Amino acid sequence: MFVCLPHCVCVKFTPMQGFKGDMRVRAVSVTGSEMSYHIPAAPIFLPQGPWKQIPGGVTAAEGFKAAGMYGGLRAKGEKPDLALVTCDVDATSAGAFTTNVVAAAPVLYCKKMLNISETARAVLINAGQANAATGDAGYQDVIECSNALAKLLRTKPEEVLIESTGVIGQRVKKGPLLESLPKLVNSLSSSTNGADGAAVAITTTDLVSKSVAIESQVGGTTVRVGGMAKGSGMIHPNMATMLGVITTDAIVTSDVWRKMVQVAVNRSFNQITVDGDTSTNDAVIALASGLSGSTRIYSLNNHEAKHLQQCLDVVMQGLAKSIAWDGEGATCLIEVTVTGADSEAEAAKIARSIASSSLVKAAVYGRDPNWGRIAAAAGYAGISFDQSKLQVLLGNILLMEGGEPQSFHRHAASDYLEKAGETHGTVEISVSVGDGPGHGQAWGCDLSYDYVKINAEYTT
């Protein structure tokens, strides 16, 4: 499928294999210009379950508004570069952040604010400058921006959270940002357009924006969970150059919500990889407005909590897979499923190891069914298993069984990889390491020549 983008280029955009959702092109008004900026929306691949996908992204849940606009922060072009998500009430807040020791100023700021307050009212995101490795001056920039926004929203500064993405070592363009805030606030909308505008504004090298929402019956009440994310390169387990905002109207206590968010992050954003690089700016902020009227969730162990956890997992995994699908230079998504481990954590670690392997990723790009690289990556994951029980499948093609190679049609296996690459589809790798109950998944993409081209000239 080709999507013609006015004022832009013609982009080839093909759906995931089996994708059944809507394919849309987001059109976002650019402040200060008569032009519109168009960017395709990523396919969001959700499993079947007791939920349905709905429009609205971060504004689908009750009480949330969003906006995106061009504020002059990007080095070139007029793509929107400022996004804002707000809640009408004090929303129960949670966050997960990069493990990189060289954490960006907004990451340090958000971690401090979440320790001070259990609630938040707004998340402000800029694209263009990462504001990482910028010292005390960069941190003061964050404080000044959050204070200015808090004043406009008539809320407390500690209830304003900040995310940034862009070039490391560059402070945020504070002047244009502060000048843009009044217009950004006045643009807030609870509409799908507001959510789509915000989802576009946070992108950098992304070719598609990532936004999703679902609704489900939790304890007999309709509850919605939505989210947006960005990321295409510098993606590796423990999150990486990915930003996300998750919203829900469920009613949940702070301690339970923060635990739920960490579980969901571990099952989604911490299970994706593009290039093995962990960013300085990773941040996922999750807000719960409590405006659904559902029963308050006090414990992780009741039925309502488990149902909400499923919904949260599904939304984050949908966004995570779209990030891996949009990996810089990628031609396909790689989905690795590991079973038979002693625990979920062990299965997840093996899956991450395979999805992260540069040799596996290169083989997929080369349409080479080199199962030995898959077996090797499982073996060096740091998890003990009996190699005589190792099984490897590529799609439904059995490559290894009982720890021994199997006869298979190499041309058919290569064709399977070729088709996935031609359609920007999904390559499914299934690995079993034993008879245990542990099940885990990870997502990545192939490694192409274009990845090097994109990143060789990133700042030039």
Side-chain angles (χ1 to χ4, degrees):
M1 168 177 171
F2 283 88
V3 180
C4 288
L5 309 180
H7 314 297
C8 300
V9 295
C10 206
V11 176
K12 184 180 180 183
F13 186 55
T14 49
M16 283 184 181
Q17 294 167 335
F19 172 64
K20 299 179 180 179
D22 293 333
M23 193 83 68
R24 295 177 292 163
V25 176
R26 305 196 195 286
V28 182
S29 296
V30 177
T31 302
S33 172
E34 296 301 318
M35 294 175 60
S36 291
Y37 193 90
H38 297 251
I39 184 171
I44 303 293
F45 206 49
L46 302 180
Q48 297 294 320
W51 46 74
K52 68 175 182 179
Q53 188 172 350
I54 60 173
V58 290
T59 62
E62 289 292 327
F64 291 96
K65 296 182 178 70
M69 64 171 282
Y70 174 68
L73 278 74
R74 294 188 189 273
K76 57 184 177 180
E78 292 187 329
K79 184 180 180 181
D81 50 21
L82 283 174
L84 178 61
V85 178
T86 64
C87 188
D88 296 337
V89 298
D90 291 346
T92 303
S93 58
F97 303 95
T98 182
T99 57
N100 195 314
V101 175
V102 187
V107 168
L108 299 175
Y109 172 83
C110 284
K111 292 171 78 170
K112 183 177 180 179
M113 293 306 106
L114 288 170
N115 284 334
I116 292 173
S117 176
E118 294 183 347
T119 61
R121 293 292 290 267
V123 183
L124 174 66
I125 308 118
N126 77 275
Q129 302 82 42
N131 201 10
T134 50
D136 291 339
Y139 192 83
Q140 290 303 314
D141 289 341
V142 177
I143 293 174
E144 189 170 341
C145 292
S146 63
N147 286 346
L149 181 57
K151 186 175 181 179
L152 287 170
L153 296 174
R154 298 180 181 179
T155 190
K156 294 176 288 187
E158 60 265 29
E159 293 202 317
V160 173
L161 301 174
I162 308 284
E163 296 180 344
S164 296
T165 183
V167 179
I168 294 171
Q170 292 186 3
R171 291 168 58 187
V172 66
K173 292 182 180 178
K174 188 172 58 179
L177 189 155
L178 294 175
E179 291 173 7
S180 300
L181 286 182
K183 197 160 194 175
L184 184 62
V185 170
N186 289 334
S187 301
L188 285 166
S189 170
S190 59
S191 67
T192 299
N193 284 341
D196 288 350
V200 169
I202 66 176
T203 59
T204 50
T205 59
D206 310 57
L207 296 179
V208 292
S209 60
K210 293 99 179 174
S211 179
V212 66
I214 63 171
E215 69 177 18
S216 187
Q217 295 295 308
V218 178
T221 304
T222 299
V223 168
R224 293 181 170 185
V225 182
M228 66 179 186
K230 65 80 54 181
S232 183
M234 242 185 152
I235 305 294
H236 190 60
N238 286 327
M239 306 174 23
T241 305
M242 56 102 6
L243 302 181
V245 178
I246 308 297
T247 59
T248 184
D249 45 24
I251 310 175
V252 56
T253 61
S254 176
D255 60 330
V256 171
W257 181 236
R258 293 188 176 191
K259 290 175 183 175
M260 282 184 168
V261 169
Q262 190 59 60
V263 168
V265 165
N266 285 339
R267 291 173 175 170
S268 57
F269 298 122
N270 280 352
Q271 289 295 108
I272 57 174
T273 180
V274 169
D275 47 21
D277 275 291
T278 299
S279 168
T280 56
N281 287 62
D282 306 336
V284 176
I285 293 169
L287 305 177
S289 70
L291 295 177
S292 65
S294 60
T295 301
R296 183 179 296 274
I297 297 174
Y298 290 96
S299 168
L300 286 168
N301 299 319
N302 60 37
H303 176 73
E304 289 79 12
K306 292 178 181 178
H307 192 152
L308 180 59
Q309 183 72 67
Q310 279 187 304
C311 293
L312 196 58
D313 291 350
V314 163
V315 165
M316 290 200 196
Q317 286 176 354
L319 292 170
K321 285 189 277 188
S322 73
I323 290 173
W325 181 91
D326 189 31
E328 290 172 346
T331 69
C332 62
L333 174 73
I334 300 174
E335 180 174 83
V336 181
T337 302
V338 174
T339 58
D342 290 340
S343 67
E344 176 185 341
E346 291 192 354
K349 189 172 182 181
I350 295 171
R352 281 200 306 269
S353 180
I354 296 169
S356 301
S357 167
S358 294
L359 290 178
V360 171
K361 292 152 71 71
V364 171
Y365 178 71
R367 318 312 179 205
D368 178 11
N370 191 334
W371 59 265
R373 295 180 177 182
I374 299 170
Y380 64 61
I383 301 298
S384 179
F385 62 86
D386 184 351
Q387 67 169 306
S388 69
K389 295 183 178 180
L390 183 61
Q391 179 192 74
V392 177
L393 289 94
L394 182 65
N396 61 3
I397 302 171
L398 183 64
L399 309 181
M400 189 177 193
E401 178 73 63
E404 297 181 359
Q406 301 296 297
S407 297
F408 67 94
H409 197 302
R410 294 190 65 86
H411 186 69
S414 184
D415 282 350
Y416 170 77
L417 296 172
E418 187 71 39
K419 183 179 179 181
E422 289 176 351
T423 61
H424 206 144
T426 304
V427 169
E428 297 179 353
I429 297 174
S430 302
V431 175
S432 177
V433 295
D435 306 313
H439 172 279
Q441 288 184 301
W443 300 272
C445 60
D446 57 344
L447 184 60
S448 73
Y449 306 125
D450 285 342
Y451 175 84
V452 177
K453 293 178 182 177
I454 291 167
N455 285 280
E457 301 174 351
Y458 188 75
T459 62
T460 57

